[in-house]
Amino acid sequence: MSHGFETRTLHVTTGRAESVFDLTAECEAFLAEVASGRDGLLNLFAPHATMGVALIETGAGSDDDLLAALHTLLPADDRWQHRHGSPGHGRDHVLPAIVPPHATLPVIGGELALGTWQSVCLVDTNKDNPQRQVRLSFLG
């Protein structure tokens, strides 16, 4: 079995509101093109200082619950040393310490090996920058 490395950069518009943006379909499409039924690893990396990658259930309220929890942990107020941008923007720069900007996921037979309710999501609280990139890399 040959091993290879494939990578691609996705361009994502997350919008001007805080969001949990589901990337599962984009990850699956990427793997359909490059994994050829192989086992391996999919790595996602968001090269931004103000967003993260999370595995979370979407569509049942968990995405809103996550944003609410982040508001409790990281209030959008004037307590932050980092003060450029929208009010409270300093908390966006702390977010990646809680929701890391990367994830490495198992791929079995060319498909993501996620749990029943897991989706691959970007967590973006930065309302100042809706244009984002995510690097997908498959090693298998």
Side-chain angles (χ1 to χ4, degrees):
M1 175 189 296
S2 67
H3 293 277
F5 180 79
E6 299 282 343
T7 191
R8 175 169 304 147
T9 300
L10 300 178
H11 298 273
V12 178
T13 301
T14 57
R16 294 265 179 212
E18 296 176 359
S19 64
V20 176
F21 189 89
D22 193 340
L23 281 180
T24 308
E26 289 86 345
C27 292
E28 290 170 341
F30 172 68
L31 290 172
E33 288 181 37
V34 303
S36 303
R38 292 178 286 161
D39 294 351
L41 297 171
L42 174 66
N43 181 264
L44 292 88
F45 176 69
H48 298 280
T50 58
M51 70 183 312
V53 175
L55 296 182
I56 188 170
E57 178 182 7
T58 59
S62 296
D63 33 1
D64 290 333
D65 290 342
L66 174 58
L67 292 174
L70 290 171
H71 272 278
T72 299
L73 291 170
L74 304 170
D77 59 21
D78 64 356
R79 73 184 68 204
W80 308 101
Q81 299 290 321
H82 188 107
R83 293 184 183 237
H84 76 81
S86 295
H89 176 66
R91 69 138 185 173
D92 300 329
H93 287 274
V94 177
L95 173 76
I98 295 170
V99 182
H102 58 86
T104 301
L105 308 171
V107 175
I108 308 294
E111 297 183 5
L112 277 176
L114 295 175
T116 302
W117 304 111
Q118 289 179 315
S119 295
V120 182
C121 298
L122 296 179
V123 179
D124 190 2
T125 60
N126 182 357
K127 298 180 271 189
D128 296 337
N129 184 8
Q131 301 302 317
R132 302 304 204 146
Q133 295 180 358
V134 179
R135 294 187 185 124
L136 303 180
S137 301
F138 173 71
L139 177 62

